[in-house]
């Protein structure tokens, strides 16, 4: 009897039945979206921030160097809940005299921190350098060993991979 009444109401009052069906569809879609956001938002944010890179940058007071045990202190503070990688920045000169920003890093830790970097071969020994796409034309256009000078010293480097 109930089913018969519903069918008859749907036939006689098509506009109301259609608007009720549309309202239920919209309500179901909105509630599904809200539940999806509510349940999974923390996991998605955690995953995205891990893929993005560094969330905290530690620098010395007044641009001074950090103490030698700073990395060990950061690792202790993280207690296995994160990854720390040291970076140091200087401006050096290429063989042609052009200023180049040089970054020193611990290449055993950097691939764990910055997974989104597109690198074919990470440096694995002393004297190797990871040269960026824009810097390669200024430093070593033929992908040959090159020299950089900084504070009167010359550093001989070999490109590891783009």
């Amino acid at each position: 009897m109930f089913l018969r009444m519903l069918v008859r109401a749907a036939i006689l009052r098509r506009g109301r039945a259609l608007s009720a069906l549309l309202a239920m569809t919209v309500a179901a879609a909105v509630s599904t979206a809200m539940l999806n956001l509510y349940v999974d938002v923390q996991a998605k944010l955690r995953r995205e921030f891990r893929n993005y890179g560094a969330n905290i940058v530690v620098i010395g007071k007044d641009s001074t160097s950090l103490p030698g045990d700073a990395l060990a202190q950061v690792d202790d503070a993280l207690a296995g809940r994160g990854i720390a990688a040291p970076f140091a920045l200087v401006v050096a000169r290429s063989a042609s005299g052009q200023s180049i920003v040089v970054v020193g890093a611990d290449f055993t830790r950097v691939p764990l921190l910055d997974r989104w970097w597109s690198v074919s071969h990470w440096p694995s020994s002393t004297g190797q350098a990871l040269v960026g796409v824009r810097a390669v034309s200024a430093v070593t256009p033929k992908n040959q060993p090159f020299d950089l000078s900084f504070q009167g010293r010359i550093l001989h480097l070999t490109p590891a991979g783009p």
Side-chain angles (χ1 to χ4, degrees), residues 5-71:
M5 286 176 44
L6 283 177
V7 170
R8 181 125 172 111
I11 292 172
L12 294 178
R13 297 181 180 174
R14 287 185 187 169
R16 284 189 180 187
L18 187 60
S19 67
L21 183 62
L22 182 64
M24 287 190 305
T25 304
V26 168
V30 168
S31 64
T32 301
M34 293 301 289
L35 282 172
N36 187 27
L37 286 175
Y38 177 76
V39 171
D40 204 30
V41 73
Q42 289 296 335
K44 286 180 181 178
L45 283 174
R46 190 177 306 115
R47 185 172 51 247
E48 289 300 320
F49 279 128
R50 280 196 182 273
N51 289 335
Y52 181 69
N55 292 328
I56 298 174
V57 177
V58 179
I59 59 172
K61 186 176 183 180
D62 298 325
S63 298
T64 59
S65 298
L66 292 172
D69 65 339
L71 185 59

Side-chain angles (χ1 to χ4, degrees), residues 85-88 103-108 110 117:
F87 288 87
V103 179
D106 181 352
F107 283 115
T108 58
V110 171
W117 283 9

Side-chain angles (χ1 to χ4, degrees), residues 76-94:
D76 288 343
L78 290 173
R81 295 177 310 217
I83 302 166
F87 288 87
L89 297 146
V90 297
V91 178
R93 297 218 177 260
S94 67

